[in-house]
Amino acid sequence: MLFSIATAALGFQGAAPMRSSGVTMAIRDSAGITAPFGYFDPVGLMSNDEQQKDFARYQEVEIKHGRLAMLAAAGFLVGEQFHPLFGGEVNNPSAFAFQQTPLQTFWPAVVAFIGAIEIATSVPTFQDPSIETFKMKDPSRIPGDMGLFGGKDKMKSNPAAFKATQSKEINNGRLAMLAIAGMVAQELVTGTKLF
């Protein structure tokens, strides 16, 4: 979770000095860097050329975590208000509901499903770890593009609209990462449902 929040900081503006000019301009003009903050890197995560080469990976991972956080935040809220499973008898905070339902026996199927998604999206995206750890196979790949909704075609036909859409997704994902962390923390501290 902390890594997700730390990578979310890559898209804001701060006072960290940048030593490389070529890659930095591409980073400063990438999707997700929007007003009022602009480019924000207070701890210098992109302060040298080697780290800047990993920017596409950071953005890919941030988008994936943002998508998961958006689903988690929506599921957290909906699950507390609408719970048709198990006869509607589960009326506990979402943070504790899993332990109090038969879903624990369903866990292997959930892990298998998540594993299949990870294999389908990560294997084509990242290098084999025995060759080079955490490196993108294709640096020109559009971060977050799973090939489902024509990302390359949209980018070629209208780059400005594509960048605006991608920025909205990244910023909503950042908000969702903070939101789900706050929702879980609130339920763990108070022991009660959100609403």
Side-chain angles (χ1 to χ4, degrees):
M1 179 66 73
L2 290 176
F3 180 75
S4 300
I5 295 170
T7 57
L10 293 175
F12 301 109
Q13 165 115 359
M18 299 302 287
R19 290 181 222 139
S20 176
S21 58
V23 179
T24 302
M25 289 312 295
I27 291 172
R28 287 179 184 269
D29 194 38
S30 66
I33 299 174
T34 55
F37 299 109
Y39 182 80
F40 180 70
D41 186 12
V43 293
L45 292 174
M46 295 287 111
S47 62
N48 65 43
D49 290 339
E50 191 60 37
Q51 291 167 322
Q52 290 176 15
K53 289 177 187 174
D54 288 340
F55 181 75
R57 177 177 63 91
Y58 286 131
Q59 199 167 39
E60 175 81 26
V61 171
E62 180 184 23
I63 290 170
K64 184 180 277 190
H65 282 90
R67 288 173 178 165
L68 289 173
M70 286 186 272
L71 288 171
F76 209 81
L77 295 173
V78 171
E80 285 190 354
Q81 300 302 316
F82 177 73
H83 40 79
L85 300 176
F86 315 112
E89 296 174 12
V90 179
N91 198 18
N92 299 311
S94 293
F96 306 109
F98 179 77
Q99 293 88 357
Q100 299 166 356
T101 64
L103 282 176
Q104 295 174 14
T105 58
F106 187 61
W107 190 243
V110 172
V111 170
F113 179 71
I114 293 170
I117 292 173
E118 280 294 314
I119 289 170
T121 59
S122 296
V123 169
T125 304
F126 297 103
Q127 287 283 3
D128 181 351
S130 64
I131 298 170
E132 196 170 15
T133 307
F134 299 124
K135 297 293 180 184
M136 303 284 283
K137 281 184 179 176
D138 180 11
S140 64
R141 182 183 183 281
I142 301 168
D145 184 19
M146 297 190 317
L148 299 174
F149 303 107
K152 287 182 182 177
D153 295 336
K154 290 178 183 175
M155 185 174 166
K156 290 176 184 174
S157 65
N158 192 345
F162 179 78
K163 181 181 173 187
T165 302
Q166 198 175 35
S167 292
K168 290 174 188 175
E169 180 185 20
I170 290 170
N171 288 329
N172 285 324
R174 289 173 183 159
L175 177 62
M177 285 186 266
L178 294 173
I180 191 65
M183 287 188 267
V184 170
Q186 180 179 337
E187 286 197 355
L188 290 175
V189 170
T190 64
T192 61
K193 294 170 66 171
L194 293 173
F195 300 105

